[in-house]
Amino acid sequence: MPNNVWSADSRHFIFVSYDRSSWQQHTSLDSKTLYTVALNDSGKPAGTPTKIASGAITQPGWTYEDPNTSFLF
């Protein structure tokens, strides 16, 4: 199971801004920061991105592949 940017309920996703300062008309995003975005009932972004973490984020995801069990997939 590779990293998945979608939450289990498919109502949120995450992204890393890296060196971008805007997303979907939302400006002033911090560089190299992890954000989450909620979706409304129509599947469109609801509100502004919410900052979760910052720093050296290389593989953002709600889930990740556990090397101890990857042979099962």
Side-chain angles (χ1 to χ4, degrees):
M1 176 184 341
N3 292 352
N4 190 347
V5 298
W6 290 97
S7 66
D9 65 1
S10 299
R11 299 291 302 231
H12 298 83
F13 68 92
I14 58 175
F15 69 93
V16 178
S17 61
Y18 293 109
D19 292 325
R20 296 177 190 91
S21 61
S22 66
W23 177 82
Q24 299 279 319
Q25 293 106 18
H26 297 285
T27 58
S28 301
L29 298 181
D30 296 337
S31 178
K32 296 183 179 97
T33 302
L34 180 66
Y35 289 91
T36 183
V37 176
L39 302 177
N40 63 21
D41 291 335
S42 300
K44 299 195 183 305
T48 60
T50 303
K51 182 178 178 178
I52 298 174
S54 61
I57 301 165
T58 58
Q59 296 183 29
W62 293 95
T63 60
Y64 66 95
E65 185 173 354
D66 183 347
N68 295 314
T69 60
S70 62
F71 64 90
L72 297 173
F73 293 101

